[in-house]
Amino acid sequence: MQVEYFQVSNTGESRQRSRVYRCEGIVIRRRDFGEADRLVTVLTDDHGKVRALAKGSRRTKSRLGGHLEPYARVRLMLARGRNLDIITSAQVLEPMTHLRREERSILYASHWSEIADQLMAESEQNRFGYGVLVRALTSLELGRDPVITSRICEWEFLAASGFQPELFQCTGCGRQIEPGGNGMHIEAGGVVCPQCHALDPLSRAISNDALRVLRAIGRGDGGLLYDRQLNDDLLKEIEQLLIGYLRSVIERDLQAWQILSSLEDGTTWGTPGH
Ligand SMILES: [Zn+2]
């Protein structure tokens, strides 16, 4: 049976078919390529991050052109190529037109796309990671607070790539974390108890409220935060912890966040020791 299968599938026609695959995805990056083509990076539901060529998509009459806008949710058909896959057809499922009208929304979408691009693996299915981006962009499209959405999205991308910070046991000595006097040690991968915090200059203090908010996001209750009145200091603390953590994992600056952050409050923040 097995032999027959290989004999049948080894015809030229079948080989051709197996080169083609379909998926749903979100365009996270796009740049011009050659005379009329575009190189498009898509975060997909079944194939992780995919870099593919959209041939002729910059021509005004292109069938692909209008269907590959940044942050749009699309259905794609692709053909595997030797170096790059080729997008053979694209259909818009969710245009996300509202979020593309405002600079602040575009910057948030661009920030999340940058994190996705850095943390999601190529051609490796990660449905959770795909869902993180879909939920974040949909929240933005619906006009929900992008600051809260961004913190949820940042945490969930860390979780989707296996880098979520430890929040319950001290990463220094293993002791269970109790409220009060704790630290967040980015390089060690999570919280430290008051004793370990006092001994390590790289540990930053973390407030009980920030720890509670991160734990809520970690157990999937981030959606509850939209209805809470979180004060600016607490939001800033959580942002600094998550951005510091992401920068340490990605090992580079987050470009969209730097612009966003300077627009939001006129300051940028550095990771300790960097
Ligand atoms: Zn400890």
Side-chain angles (χ1 to χ4, degrees), residues 199-226:
L199 290 172
D200 197 327
L202 286 178
S203 171
R204 299 173 62 90
I206 181 171
S207 69
N208 292 336
D209 285 344
L211 189 55
R212 259 198 297 273
V213 168
L214 289 179
R215 283 177 173 178
I217 296 174
R219 63 171 179 266
D221 283 340
L224 300 174
L225 301 174
Y226 291 106

Side-chain angles (χ1 to χ4, degrees), residues 141-212:
E141 186 72 1
L142 294 173
R144 303 185 92 178
D145 183 355
V147 174
I148 299 289
T149 305
S150 201
R151 301 299 87 86
I152 296 171
C153 181
E154 288 152 5
W155 174 279
E156 290 186 340
F157 267 130
L158 284 167
S161 52
F163 288 109
Q164 76 267 39
E166 168 60 44
L167 297 178
F168 294 91
Q169 282 189 313
C170 174
T171 52
C173 67
R175 184 177 312 179
Q176 191 167 336
I177 293 293
E178 304 291 345
N182 298 300
M184 172 64 85
H185 196 304
I186 289 172
E187 283 75 12
V191 285
V192 285
C193 72
Q195 285 81 353
C196 293
H197 173 59
L199 290 172
D200 197 327
L202 286 178
S203 171
R204 299 173 62 90
I206 181 171
S207 69
N208 292 336
D209 285 344
L211 189 55
R212 259 198 297 273

